Amino acid sequence: MLKEFFEKYFVNPIKYNTGYNPVNTLVYAIILGIATLIVYKVLKRMKIKIDNAFFRALIPYMVFGAFTRALTDAGVYPRTYITVSPGIYFLVFSIAFPALIICKKFFKDWRGVFLWFGWGLVMVDFAAMGANLEKMNFNFTVLKYFIPFLILAELAVYLMTKKLSIVRENSYLFYVHFYDATTTFVGVDFMGYWEQHVLPRLLIGLTGTAAVMYVLKFTVLYLALWIMKKLEEEGEDKELLDFIRMVIFILGFAPGTRNLLRMLLGA
C-alpha cells in the first residue's frame, strides 16, 4: 500500500511527466521549509554571513540548475529523478554545498573561488549543448512575446514601488517573480506549453489565461513578505529572514530561467 502510494504521488508524476499533485506539492513544501532552516543553521555554524556577496556567489548555481533542467528537456541529458524538478534542486545542492565547504576551508578568497566554480559548471552545460547541437531546435520567436510582456510586467512592479512600501523594500523579489510569471504566461498562452504546478494550473484553467500568474505571484509574495516584516518588527532573526528572502528569489529566478531557456531551445 505504501509503495503504491509513493509511486502514484511521487514516482509516476516524474516518470510520466504529469506535473505536480496536491500530495507531492505539500510534501515538497515541507521538505523545503525544513531544509531551509537546516542549511541556515549550518551556514551560521560555518560563520558564513548571508550578505550581498554571498548572494552573488550563488547566482551561477541558479543558472546551472536552470540550464541543466532545460538541457534535460532538450534531450541532451537523460531524464532522471535528479535532472527534473524537484530532484534538480537536490542535484545542485549536492554539488554547491560541498564546494562551498571546501572553498571556505581552503581558500582565503573563498567567495571568489566558489563563484567561479559555479560559472565553470555553467560552462560545462554550454559545452554539452555545443556537442549536441543536432538535438537543438532553437526558437527565438519566443522573444517577440517575452520581451514586450517582460517590459510591461517590470514596469508594473516599478509603479508599485511608488505606492507600496513592501514592494519597494523587496522590489528585487517582485521583479524576479514577475519575470517568472512572464515566462509562464508566454509559454502557456503563446507557445503551447502547460503549467505543471497544482494551484497555477487550476487558476489558469478557471480563467483561461496564464496572465493570472501575475495576480497569484503578487498576492502570495506580498502576503509572505508582509508576514516576514511583522516578524522582523517583533524581533525575529533578521539574518534568517534575509536567507528566506534569498530562497524566495531562487524559487522565482531558477524556474523562470529554465522556462525561458526551454522555450529558446525549442524543447
XYZ file of all heavy atoms in Angstrom, residues 67 71 76-77 123-136 138 265:
160
model
N 19.726 25.783 -16.438
C 20.286 25.371 -17.731
C 20.284 23.852 -17.852
O 19.908 23.282 -18.890
C 21.697 25.932 -17.860
C 22.216 26.013 -19.276
C 23.474 26.569 -19.521
C 21.481 25.571 -20.358
C 23.979 26.679 -20.814
C 21.967 25.665 -21.659
C 23.220 26.205 -21.878
N 18.316 21.650 -20.605
C 19.014 20.703 -21.478
C 18.457 19.289 -21.334
O 18.499 18.499 -22.276
C 20.515 20.725 -21.184
C 21.255 22.000 -21.604
C 22.706 21.949 -21.157
C 21.173 22.201 -23.126
N 19.494 16.542 -24.129
C 20.953 16.493 -24.004
C 21.354 15.615 -22.818
O 22.278 14.804 -22.908
C 21.528 17.908 -23.843
C 23.025 17.852 -23.512
C 21.294 18.721 -25.108
N 20.656 15.787 -21.700
C 20.887 14.948 -20.522
C 19.722 13.971 -20.383
O 18.587 14.296 -20.753
C 20.988 15.798 -19.258
C 22.160 16.756 -19.230
C 21.987 18.098 -18.865
C 23.437 16.337 -19.551
C 23.058 18.981 -18.828
C 24.518 17.207 -19.518
C 24.319 18.528 -19.155
O 25.385 19.401 -19.126
N 29.611 26.589 -17.768
C 30.375 26.342 -18.995
C 30.292 24.872 -19.413
O 30.311 24.556 -20.609
C 31.844 26.746 -18.778
C 32.071 28.249 -18.636
S 31.497 29.181 -20.110
C 29.968 29.890 -19.474
N 30.200 23.968 -18.439
C 30.026 22.543 -18.761
C 28.714 22.345 -19.510
O 28.649 21.591 -20.494
C 30.053 21.694 -17.472
C 29.634 20.249 -17.783
C 31.434 21.718 -16.837
N 27.662 23.039 -19.063
C 26.375 22.954 -19.758
C 26.474 23.510 -21.178
O 25.911 22.943 -22.125
C 25.304 23.723 -18.980
C 24.673 22.882 -17.884
O 24.872 21.655 -17.882
O 23.972 23.452 -17.022
N 27.183 24.623 -21.327
C 27.372 25.190 -22.661
C 28.102 24.198 -23.567
O 27.756 24.027 -24.741
C 28.155 26.505 -22.594
C 27.294 27.724 -22.465
C 27.263 28.442 -21.292
C 26.496 28.154 -23.523
C 26.462 29.565 -21.160
C 25.692 29.270 -23.416
C 25.669 29.986 -22.223
N 29.126 23.551 -23.011
C 29.880 22.565 -23.791
C 28.990 21.395 -24.184
O 29.058 20.900 -25.322
C 31.081 22.077 -22.977
N 28.140 20.947 -23.249
C 27.225 19.844 -23.540
C 26.242 20.235 -24.633
O 25.937 19.432 -25.528
C 26.476 19.429 -22.269
N 25.750 21.471 -24.591
C 24.845 21.947 -25.632
C 25.560 22.014 -26.973
O 25.019 21.585 -28.006
C 24.288 23.324 -25.273
C 23.278 23.870 -26.281
S 22.640 25.509 -25.848
C 24.118 26.514 -26.129
N 26.789 22.523 -26.967
C 27.559 22.626 -28.202
C 27.853 21.282 -28.833
O 27.917 21.154 -30.058
N 27.990 20.260 -27.994
C 28.273 18.917 -28.501
C 27.016 18.202 -28.972
O 27.106 17.103 -29.538
C 28.959 18.088 -27.408
N 25.855 18.821 -28.724
C 24.588 18.190 -29.108
C 23.696 19.150 -29.888
O 22.470 19.141 -29.728
C 23.840 17.713 -27.857
C 24.520 16.553 -27.168
O 24.284 15.397 -27.484
N 25.372 16.875 -26.201
N 24.314 19.946 -30.745
C 23.545 20.934 -31.498
C 22.484 20.298 -32.397
O 21.469 20.925 -32.713
C 24.490 21.801 -32.340
C 25.372 22.798 -31.562
C 26.282 23.550 -32.507
C 24.501 23.778 -30.771
N 22.724 19.050 -32.796
C 21.746 18.383 -33.657
C 20.429 18.126 -32.922
O 19.384 17.919 -33.551
C 22.309 17.071 -34.195
C 22.413 15.927 -33.203
C 23.621 16.031 -32.263
O 24.424 16.976 -32.437
O 23.760 15.161 -31.389
N 20.485 18.141 -31.595
C 19.266 17.938 -30.801
C 18.535 19.249 -30.515
O 17.405 19.230 -30.011
C 19.612 17.255 -29.473
C 20.174 15.851 -29.626
C 20.473 15.237 -28.268
C 21.022 13.819 -28.418
N 21.335 13.216 -27.099
N 19.184 20.369 -30.832
C 18.595 21.670 -30.541
C 17.612 22.072 -31.631
O 17.824 21.792 -32.812
C 19.686 22.747 -30.432
C 20.740 22.504 -29.350
S 20.075 22.528 -27.676
C 20.046 20.774 -27.314
N 16.305 25.500 -31.884
C 16.234 26.865 -31.379
C 15.008 27.604 -31.914
O 14.693 27.541 -33.107
C 17.501 27.641 -31.748
C 18.744 27.096 -31.101
C 19.688 26.393 -31.844
C 18.971 27.270 -29.750
C 20.832 25.884 -31.255
C 20.120 26.766 -29.147
C 21.051 26.073 -29.895
N 15.339 26.898 -26.568
C 15.923 25.670 -27.119
C 14.902 24.865 -27.921
O 15.244 23.855 -28.544
C 16.495 24.807 -25.998
C 17.694 25.378 -25.223
C 18.074 24.447 -24.081
C 18.867 25.620 -26.136
